[in-house]
Amino acid sequence: MTGLWIVVTVWMMCAAVVATVLGRVARRGDSEELGSILEWDIDTLDHEVRNDN
């Protein structure tokens, strides 16, 4: 039973590392695609777009 907990713990740690790396890669890809490293506030942008119409 202890072996099972060790395997589950290692699996979850690997999954957390992979999720972190993929998240950073996606964030970097988004910033490079937009050509900026600025933080985008989606709520403000949605509000401005709605007021333009």
Side-chain angles (χ1 to χ4, degrees), residues 35-51:
S36 175
I37 58 172
L38 298 174
E39 295 292 328
W40 295 96
D41 185 8
I42 301 301
D43 293 330
T44 303
L45 292 173
D46 285 342
H47 180 70
E48 289 177 2
V49 169
R50 287 186 192 131
N51 288 338

Side-chain angles (χ1 to χ4, degrees), residues 10-49:
V10 170
W11 180 263
M12 293 302 290
M13 290 174 63
C14 289
V17 169
V18 169
T20 301
V21 169
L22 289 177
R24 289 181 183 212
V25 167
R27 183 178 178 91
R28 181 176 178 183
D30 285 344
S31 67
E32 288 179 3
E33 182 178 340
L34 294 172
S36 175
I37 58 172
L38 298 174
E39 295 292 328
W40 295 96
D41 185 8
I42 301 301
D43 293 330
T44 303
L45 292 173
D46 285 342
H47 180 70
E48 289 177 2
V49 169

